[in-house]
Amino acid sequence: MIETDSNFEQLNSLMTFLLKKDIYKNRIIEACPNCNGKKYIRYGAYKGIQRYKCKECSKTFSNSTNSLWSYSKKNSPKWIQFIELVIERKSLRFCAEKLEISLVTAFYWRHKVLNGLNFDSIPEKLTNNVFISKKLIPENFKGSRNIMTDKRHNIWVIAAKSSNDSMIAKPISKIHWNLNSFNKKIYYLIDKKAYITTYCDRYLSAVAAKHNKKREYQVFDDKRIKTFPNILNLWLKKYHGVATKYLENYLSLFILFIINRKIDSISISNQLITGNRYIRTNEIGLTLE
C-alpha cells in the first residue's frame, strides 16, 4: 500500500531534521554548560545531533544545549522565518498570525533573538578616526505594571563608530552624564592611538580633548553618527515605543541597519547558535533594569 503525503507533513519533518542537524554540526563546544568543565566525551547522538558527557559533573549535553532555541518545541524553519520577520521589523501581532504562534510566544522570541544579537554587537576595537554622538531618550515603562512614578527621566544613549564601520551603541546612564559608565561601556574599546571626533555634547568634547592631545589625523565627518539622534528616533518609532529595560538589545539590531550591513535570516541564525545565546524567559530584561 502506497502512503501519500499530500500535505507534505513527512517532507517538512525531514527538512526540519536535516536543517537542525546541519546547523548544529559545526557548533564548537568549549566547555560543559553545567559546570564549565573542559573534560567531556562523545556520548552518542539524539535525532542526528551529537551528545556529550562531562567527566567532571557526569551530566550530559549536546551541540544544541544553550543555543538560541534550546528547549523550544517549535521547528527550526519556524525560528528562521521568525528571525527574518525580526529583521524586517514586523509587529509582534503580524509575526504571531503569520507563524501561528501566540502573541506571548512572539514577544519572548523577539527578545531571545535581540538578546542573542547583543552578544555579537560589541566590536573588538575602535581604531583610527572614531566618531561619537549621543541621544537622550525619555524613560519608557512600556509593559510594566504597578508603576510608582509619573516622572520620565532621560536615558543617555551613546554611539561610537570607527572609520572602518565598527560600531557600538549603548545606554550608559540615567538623568545625568556618568563618566565611569561611559568608560566601562564605550571608552575602553577606543584605541589609544585613535582620534576622537564628537558631535554636539560638551561632556563628549571634554573626553575627546583629553584623549586626542597631540594626535593629528585627517578627520572627515561621519554623517551617520552626526545625524545619529534623528536616525535613532525615526528607527524606534516603528516599534511604537521601546521599554527602557529592553533598549540595549534593540540597539544591537539598530547597529546592523545604520552601518548598512548585509544581513539575512539564515546567516543570523547560524551566527546566533554558534555560541551560548540561550536565555530563559524569566531572565529577559532583568540584566538591563
Side-chain angles (χ1 to χ4, degrees):
M1 180 178 179
I2 299 175
E3 293 184 0
T4 60
D5 187 23
S6 57
N7 293 324
F8 301 107
E9 292 179 0
Q10 294 181 31
L11 177 60
N12 290 332
S13 178
L14 177 61
M15 289 177 63
T16 298
F17 167 76
L18 293 175
L19 178 60
K20 200 167 186 178
K21 180 180 177 181
D22 184 61
I23 287 175
Y24 287 121
K25 179 174 65 178
N26 297 319
R27 190 182 184 208
I28 299 174
I29 302 296
E30 297 180 349
C32 170
N34 301 299
C35 69
N36 207 34
K38 305 292 184 180
K39 297 179 181 180
Y40 55 86
I41 58 174
R42 290 177 178 269
Y43 199 67
Y46 178 69
K47 292 186 177 180
I49 298 175
Q50 181 64 54
R51 292 194 60 78
Y52 306 92
K53 183 173 183 179
C54 179
K55 287 185 175 182
E56 299 182 28
C57 69
S58 297
K59 292 185 178 180
T60 60
F61 56 96
S62 74
N63 277 347
S64 65
T65 302
N66 280 355
S67 65
L68 174 67
W69 53 66
S70 289
Y71 311 111
S72 175
K73 295 180 181 179
K74 304 298 183 181
N75 59 43
S76 304
K78 185 161 289 191
W79 268 97
I80 294 174
Q81 291 174 51
F82 182 81
I83 291 172
E84 178 64 36
L85 296 178
V86 171
I87 293 172
E88 294 175 3
R89 300 202 292 146
K90 298 295 186 182
S91 70
L92 292 178
R93 195 170 297 280
F94 179 91
C95 295
E97 293 175 357
K98 181 77 172 178
L99 300 180
E100 297 181 343
I101 58 178
S102 72
L103 194 59
V104 173
T105 296
F107 171 83
Y108 284 119
W109 277 21
R110 177 194 278 179
H111 287 288
K112 284 175 181 285
V113 172
L114 294 178
N115 180 74
L117 289 175
N118 196 32
F119 278 90
D120 301 299
S121 65
I122 302 176
E124 291 184 5
K125 212 71 176 174
L126 298 173
T127 59
N128 300 323
N129 289 314
V130 176
F131 307 90
I132 308 179
S133 185
K134 74 162 187 188
K135 167 69 175 172
L136 297 181
I137 298 179
E139 197 172 13
N140 189 310
F141 299 112
K142 184 178 180 180
S144 299
R145 298 179 180 179
N146 301 320
I147 301 172
M148 304 301 293
T149 178
D150 294 328
K151 293 183 179 180
R152 297 293 187 273
H153 299 298
N154 282 330
I155 305 299
W156 285 67
V157 176
I158 303 295
K161 177 180 169 295
S162 65
S163 49
N164 65 357
D165 269 356
S166 294
M167 180 176 173
I168 186 171
K170 296 283 184 183
I172 66 162
S173 59
K174 182 166 67 173
I175 308 176
H176 303 296
W177 163 260
N178 188 315
L179 180 59
N180 288 333
S181 181
F182 171 79
N183 290 339
K184 290 179 180 178
K185 294 187 176 183
I186 305 290
Y187 186 72
Y188 80 97
L189 291 169
I190 300 176
D191 187 80
K192 292 181 179 180
K193 297 180 180 178
Y195 187 89
I196 298 177
T197 300
T198 64
Y199 298 101
C200 304
D201 185 79
R202 61 192 179 97
Y203 296 106
L204 293 176
S205 296
V207 170
K210 183 177 180 180
H211 175 91
N212 292 336
K213 294 181 180 178
K214 297 181 180 180
R215 297 178 181 84
E216 294 183 6
Y217 279 75
Q218 186 177 2
V219 179
F220 303 92
D221 268 346
D222 188 295
K223 292 183 179 179
R224 283 172 288 183
I225 296 300
K226 191 174 185 178
T227 59
F228 164 73
N230 293 331
I231 295 174
L232 180 59
N233 189 53
L234 291 173
W235 191 84
L236 289 175
K237 279 186 177 180
K238 177 80 172 181
Y239 298 103
H240 303 288
V242 171
T244 298
K245 62 181 178 179
Y246 303 129
L247 180 59
E248 184 170 333
N249 285 348
Y250 277 89
L251 290 172
S252 64
L253 181 61
F254 169 74
I255 290 172
L256 297 179
F257 283 84
I258 197 174
I259 64 177
N260 296 322
R261 184 178 296 172
K262 292 183 178 180
I263 53 177
D264 61 77
S265 55
I266 298 296
S267 61
I268 290 293
S269 296
N270 281 318
Q271 171 186 328
L272 291 176
I273 67 168
T274 54
N276 295 327
R277 301 294 185 263
Y278 178 71
I279 183 172
R280 297 182 184 277
T281 54
N282 60 357
E283 295 174 344
I284 291 175
L286 293 181
T287 58
L288 304 179
E289 291 182 333

